[in-house]
Amino acid sequence: MKNKYMPTAIGLYINYIIHGMGVLIIMQNKDALASQWNTNIEGVSSVVAMLGIGRLIAILISGRLSDKFGRKPFVYLGMFVYILFFAGILFSPSVPLAMIFGVVAGIANSCLDSGTYPALMESFPKTAGTANVLIKAAVQIGQFGLPFIIAFLGTSGLWFGWSFMVCIVLLVLNGLFLLKMPFPDEDTKAAEKAGEEVPTTNFKSKPKMQIEGVAFVIYGFISQATFYLISQYIALYGQEVALMTENAAKLLVSYYSTGSLVCVAVTAVVATKVRPVNLILPYTLASFISIGAMWLFPTPAVLKIGAVSVGFFAAGGVMQLGLTVMGEMFPAGKGTITGIFYTFGSIASFVIPVVSGKIASSNPRGIMLFDTIIAGIGFILAVVIFIRYRQVIDTTPEKTKGGLAGEAG
């Protein structure tokens, strides 16, 4: 049977296409906004920084509230708050006011995450890894498409604000589309009231928050830190350590992005055939080996291969897979789990730049050693998660079958 939540999932992915646009839209319009706010690139960048603060403020509490009040209300809250962000940024006359709306964008992102990730895991319990990795694909579609929209507006002599208005209109239309779509947690509550049997995860023993729970939240931090360091410093590392030309070093970022895009496509398919936990271990190991090789052998050839490899194994969806496995092991509060997992990822976004900046200023090669150590810790955590998963969850073959489009509703 076709999964009845498929239309709901399509609407949720559309939200993340718009989110992908929202992540880039300020910097893509930086000149027009700098003029509007009477500031420079530093002022515009300060507004962008507020997105992370807003996300960190809201993600934990929004996850808990999603468990209490449901997924659909938080998806709609995220969409509404995103509309406030797009309109607020567009019509803000100054940097301080725009910074407030930057915080608003982070809150919107948190609300969407708290409603969407649990909803997808509940909609496609047998292929939750694929469902979550496709969120990353949706974000990348938005980030790919926005520059073309802005380029069209620029060459046509049209108002830059139409790029913001496109996002607002898409959110409104998608909100109308999702209005009558079913959400799995609503159906589960209705089934429980009717006395029907509700499918649950098959456990051999009770998961322990002090073991695998701690491993997961640290893994959220580690996975964010691992690919952040590569994405931000691979060009510097190539130029300063591997003695590549500036242009050749900058191309390493493109190799990294290519690896990430390929992994999203591959993982989306593979995760329908195997459990996400079986991907986390090899992905994390390959990432550790790739980063270690770039530290030990900093040559242009190794860096090119390494950039693609890290993009594939560290930035192509392994973080979403980690959240999926955590949701399997702690199914009672998927919203809370999402909040905790991404809170630590957000903390990494603040802590790692401070530490890495100090390292890079004195010893550029030390950046790759630092990332190798982080990736090594990530692999150890992946081993712990893998072992505990096998000890806790019943993984008999008959319980692993089913695809994203083929699960019964």
Side-chain angles (χ1 to χ4, degrees):
M1 293 175 59
K2 184 178 180 181
N3 192 307
K4 71 175 183 178
Y5 300 118
M6 186 62 71
T8 304
I10 291 172
L12 296 177
Y13 292 133
I14 290 173
N15 282 339
Y16 277 85
I17 292 175
I18 301 165
H19 165 65
M21 296 180 181
V23 170
L24 298 181
I25 200 165
I26 294 177
M27 292 306 293
Q28 287 286 315
N29 289 289
K30 61 183 183 298
D31 293 334
L33 291 173
S35 176
Q36 178 175 309
W37 299 336
N38 296 312
T39 188
N40 53 23
I41 186 63
E42 184 178 351
V44 175
S45 298
S46 68
V47 175
V48 175
M50 293 299 104
L51 275 71
I53 293 177
R55 178 169 170 75
L56 189 58
I57 289 172
I59 185 63
L60 188 57
I61 187 171
S62 63
R64 290 183 177 272
L65 293 176
S66 171
D67 286 335
K68 183 174 182 179
F69 297 107
R71 315 309 181 198
K72 194 169 188 176
F74 270 82
V75 169
Y76 269 90
L77 180 59
M79 295 169 73
F80 174 72
V81 177
Y82 246 130
I83 290 173
L84 292 182
F85 159 72
F86 287 119
I89 290 293
L90 182 57
F91 296 108
S92 289
S94 64
V95 168
L97 186 57
M99 289 174 72
I100 292 174
F101 285 107
V103 174
V104 165
I107 294 172
N109 184 196
S110 295
C111 291
L112 279 185
D113 283 354
S114 298
T116 302
Y117 279 100
L120 289 172
M121 286 188 277
E122 292 159 352
S123 297
F124 307 101
K126 297 177 184 176
T127 51
T130 297
N132 280 346
V133 167
L134 287 175
I135 289 180
K136 189 172 184 69
V139 172
Q140 291 177 330
I141 289 171
Q143 293 179 339
F144 176 80
L146 180 68
F148 289 97
I149 294 173
I150 292 174
F152 171 77
L153 295 175
T155 55
S156 302
L158 297 173
W159 178 45
F160 80 94
W162 285 118
S163 58
F164 290 82
M165 296 305 295
V166 165
C167 294
I168 291 173
V169 170
L170 288 175
L171 282 170
V172 171
L173 293 176
N174 198 39
L176 294 174
F177 169 73
L178 282 172
L179 200 57
K180 293 187 177 181
M181 292 295 121
F183 276 66
D185 62 309
E186 296 174 338
D187 290 346
T188 298
K189 289 176 182 177
E192 289 174 345
K193 286 182 179 179
E196 298 174 11
E197 184 179 348
V198 177
T200 58
T201 303
N202 296 280
F203 288 104
K204 296 178 183 177
S205 61
K206 187 177 180 180
K208 297 180 180 179
M209 182 59 73
Q210 65 268 33
I211 301 178
E212 52 266 35
V214 171
F216 274 117
V217 296
I218 299 176
Y219 188 81
F221 180 98
I222 292 294
S223 56
Q224 176 75 24
T226 301
F227 66 76
Y228 173 87
L229 286 167
I230 295 297
S231 65
Q232 297 299 313
Y233 289 102
I234 188 67
L236 173 68
Y237 190 79
Q239 191 171 354
E240 296 291 330
V241 180
L243 304 179
M244 300 171 70
T245 65
E246 182 178 358
N247 289 336
K250 287 180 177 179
L251 279 176
L252 293 173
V253 179
S254 297
Y255 294 138
Y256 164 84
S257 299
T258 300
S260 176
L261 286 169
V262 172
C263 182
V264 169
V266 172
T267 303
V269 175
V270 175
T272 64
K273 309 296 182 182
V274 300
R275 287 177 176 264
V277 72
N278 293 328
L279 294 177
I280 288 178
L281 194 61
Y283 277 23
T284 310
L285 175 60
S287 176
F288 171 53
I289 293 172
S290 300
I291 297 169
M294 288 192 287
W295 169 58
L296 291 171
F297 311 104
T299 65
V302 171
L303 261 59
K304 290 176 183 177
I305 297 171
V308 174
S309 299
V310 175
F312 188 100
F313 294 111
V318 71
M319 195 170 186
Q320 285 78 7
L321 292 174
L323 174 60
T324 301
V325 178
M326 191 177 184
E328 283 187 76
M329 297 187 77
F330 300 96
K334 288 187 173 67
T336 301
I337 292 303
T338 300
I340 294 172
F341 189 84
Y342 278 113
T343 292
F344 278 78
S346 297
I347 291 172
S349 298
F350 284 94
V351 173
I352 294 301
V354 175
V355 178
S356 60
K358 292 180 179 180
I359 296 174
S361 63
S362 59
N363 179 21
R365 191 175 182 184
I367 283 290
M368 204 61 67
L369 173 59
F370 182 42
D371 205 13
T372 301
I373 294 170
I374 288 175
I377 296 171
F379 174 64
I380 293 171
L381 292 170
V383 171
V384 172
I385 290 169
F386 182 82
I387 292 172
R388 286 296 297 158
Y389 185 96
R390 292 288 178 177
Q391 292 174 342
V392 166
I393 293 183
D394 187 350
T395 59
T396 51
E398 62 269 17
K399 293 182 176 66
T400 64
K401 295 178 182 178
L404 182 63
E407 294 176 7

